[in-house]
């Protein structure tokens, strides 16, 4: 396991800020700002490619965006999502994860308790980040972006799967839209870092979609976050000012 992944594992009980990166300028700005971990998340399907959900994202999309991010990130650990249906079997997962790892990234992330696939990847020394709770790649089955862990059955499932993922050797687990007390219980029960998104403040780290953080996708604002900037608004204003400046030139 490389030193960046070892460092992430040591952040248990400390602070672990993670952001998504989709392209060169964004990744470079985040890396230069000192964000220690960047995820090339398949949420890029929505915020960069305009799809309604992540199930449309292909391996080609992920490779294209990862190449751009890797040109910009000498410091951060880079984790990349294996996209929808790219890890249905262990053989397929290995083939696709190797394509991504060959770009020089530090780890891949997979959604759900696909234990056999995770074991196969780790056996080949590919570091894996887990992802439990709301699983965007299963949006059709999930029927929407709903909070997980409300029922006893869901709570038990999340706790059990987190233990299983840890036993398989994942180095951290993202908990998405998990009831805060359940996310906290998972965090206390496992020895690897949990990274929450819309899961309260009880996880070891937090991950945000950068477009949400900086107001760069103003058509959707998640409930768990008030943006720190209004980049979308700045672009609109600049474009309008440019239009006006051109009108003046014509006069
Ligand atoms: O794709 C993504 O951005 C993610 C985060 C929401 C965790 O998986």
């Amino acid at each position: 396991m490389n030193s960046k992944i070892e460092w992430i594992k040591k952040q248990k009980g400390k602070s672990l800020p993670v952001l998504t990166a989709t392209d060169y300028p964004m990744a470079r700005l985040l890396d230069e700002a000192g964000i220690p971990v960047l995820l090339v998340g398949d949420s890029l399907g929505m915020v960069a490619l305009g799809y309604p959900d992540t199930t449309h994202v292909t391996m080609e999309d992920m490779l294209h965006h990862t190449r751009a991010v890797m040109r910009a990130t000498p410091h951060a650990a880079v984790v990349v999502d294996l996209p929808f249906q790219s890890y249905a079997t262990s053989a397929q997962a290995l083939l696709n994860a190797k394509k991504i790892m060959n770009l020089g990234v530090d780890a891949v992330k997979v959604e759900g308790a696909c234990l056999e696939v995770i074991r196969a990847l780790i056996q080949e020394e590919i570091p894996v980040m887990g992802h439990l709770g709301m699983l965007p790649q299963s949006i059709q089955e999930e029927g929407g972006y709903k909070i997980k862990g409300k029922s006893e059955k869901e709570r038990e499932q999340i706790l059990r799967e987190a233990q299983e993922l840890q036993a398989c050797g994942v180095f951290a687990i993202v908990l998405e839209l998990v009831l805060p007390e359940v996310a906290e219980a998972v965090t206390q029960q496992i020895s690897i870092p949990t990274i929450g998104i819309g899961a309260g403040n009880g996880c070891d780290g937090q991950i945000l979609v950068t477009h949400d953080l900086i107001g760069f996708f103003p058509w959707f604002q998640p409930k768990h976050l008030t943006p720190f900037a209004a980049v979308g608004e700045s672009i609109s204003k600049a474009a309008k000012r440019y239009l006006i400046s051109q009108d003046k030139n014509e006069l």
Side-chain angles (χ1 to χ4, degrees), residues 20 39 41-44 54 81 109 111 131 174 176 197 207 209:
T20 61
L39 171 73
D42 59 358
S43 58
L44 67 79
T54 61
D81 266 333
K109 176 163 82 60
E111 292 186 6
H131 184 151
V174 168
E176 179 161 0
I197 176 161
I207 178 164
V209 174

Coordinates of all heavy atoms in Angstrom, one line a residue, residues 20 39 41-44 54 81 109 111 131 174 176 197 207 209, ligand 1:
T20 N -14.2 16.3 -4.5 CA -14.1 15.7 -5.8 C -13.4 16.6 -6.8 O -13.4 17.9 -6.6 CB -15.5 15.5 -6.4 OG1 -16.2 16.7 -6.5 CG2 -16.4 14.5 -5.5
L39 N -11.2 12.9 -5.0 CA -12.0 11.8 -5.6 C -12.4 12.2 -7.0 O -13.1 13.2 -7.2 CB -13.2 11.4 -4.8 CG -14.1 10.4 -5.5 CD1 -13.5 9.0 -5.4 CD2 -15.5 10.4 -4.8
G41 N -14.9 11.4 -8.8 CA -16.2 10.7 -8.5 C -17.0 10.6 -9.8 O -17.0 11.5 -10.7
D42 N -17.8 9.6 -9.9 CA -18.7 9.5 -11.0 C -19.8 10.5 -11.0 O -20.6 10.6 -11.9 CB -19.2 8.0 -11.3 CG -20.0 7.5 -10.1 OD1 -20.1 8.2 -9.1 OD2 -20.4 6.3 -10.3
S43 N -19.9 11.3 -9.9 CA -20.9 12.4 -9.9 C -20.5 13.4 -11.0 O -21.3 14.2 -11.3 CB -20.8 13.1 -8.5 OG -19.5 13.6 -8.2
L44 N -19.3 13.2 -11.6 CA -19.0 14.1 -12.7 C -20.0 13.9 -13.9 O -20.1 14.7 -14.7 CB -17.5 13.8 -13.2 CG -17.1 12.5 -13.8 CD1 -17.5 12.3 -15.3 CD2 -15.6 12.3 -13.7
T54 N -25.7 8.9 -12.2 CA -24.3 8.4 -12.5 C -24.3 7.1 -13.3 O -23.3 6.6 -13.7 CB -23.6 8.1 -11.2 OG1 -24.3 7.1 -10.4 CG2 -23.4 9.3 -10.3
D81 N -13.6 6.6 -8.9 CA -14.7 5.7 -8.9 C -14.7 4.7 -10.1 O -14.5 5.1 -11.2 CB -16.0 6.5 -9.1 CG -16.7 6.9 -7.8 OD1 -16.5 6.1 -6.8 OD2 -17.4 7.9 -7.7
K109 N -12.6 3.4 -6.0 CA -13.7 3.3 -5.1 C -14.8 2.5 -5.7 O -15.1 2.7 -6.9 CB -14.3 4.7 -4.7 CG -15.5 4.6 -3.8 CD -15.8 6.0 -3.1 CE -16.5 7.0 -3.9 NZ -17.8 6.6 -4.4
E111 N -19.0 0.9 -5.1 CA -20.2 1.1 -4.2 C -20.7 -0.3 -3.8 O -20.8 -1.2 -4.6 CB -21.3 1.8 -5.0 CG -20.9 3.3 -5.3 CD -22.1 4.0 -6.0 OE1 -23.2 3.5 -6.1 OE2 -21.8 5.2 -6.4
H131 N -17.9 2.2 -0.2 CA -19.0 3.2 -0.2 C -20.3 2.6 0.2 O -20.8 1.7 -0.5 CB -19.0 3.8 -1.7 CG -20.0 4.9 -1.9 ND1 -19.8 5.9 -2.8 CD2 -21.2 5.2 -1.3 CE1 -20.8 6.8 -2.8 NE2 -21.7 6.4 -1.8
V174 N -16.7 5.5 2.5 CA -17.6 6.6 2.4 C -19.0 6.2 2.9 O -19.5 5.1 2.5 CB -17.7 7.1 0.9 CG1 -18.9 8.1 0.7 CG2 -16.4 7.7 0.4
E176 N -22.7 7.6 2.6 CA -23.5 8.6 1.9 C -24.9 8.6 2.4 O -25.6 7.5 2.4 CB -23.4 8.4 0.4 CG -24.3 9.5 -0.3 CD -23.9 9.6 -1.8 OE1 -23.0 8.9 -2.3 OE2 -24.6 10.5 -2.4
I197 N -20.8 11.9 3.8 CA -21.4 13.0 2.9 C -22.9 12.9 3.2 O -23.6 11.9 3.0 CB -21.1 12.8 1.4 CG1 -21.9 13.8 0.6 CG2 -21.4 11.4 0.9 CD1 -21.3 14.0 -0.8
I207 N -16.6 14.3 2.8 CA -16.3 14.5 1.4 C -17.5 15.3 0.8 O -18.6 15.1 1.2 CB -16.2 13.1 0.6 CG1 -16.0 13.4 -0.9 CG2 -17.4 12.2 0.8 CD1 -15.5 12.2 -1.7
V209 N -18.9 17.2 -3.0 CA -18.8 17.4 -4.4 C -18.4 18.8 -4.6 O -19.1 19.7 -4.2 CB -20.1 17.0 -5.2 CG1 -20.0 17.4 -6.7 CG2 -20.5 15.6 -5.0
Ligands
LIG1 O1 -19.2 10.4 -7.2 C1 -19.0 11.0 -6.1 O2 -18.8 12.2 -6.1 C2 -19.1 10.3 -4.9 C3 -19.2 11.1 -3.6 C4 -20.6 11.7 -3.5 C5 -18.9 10.3 -2.5 O3 -19.1 9.1 -4.9

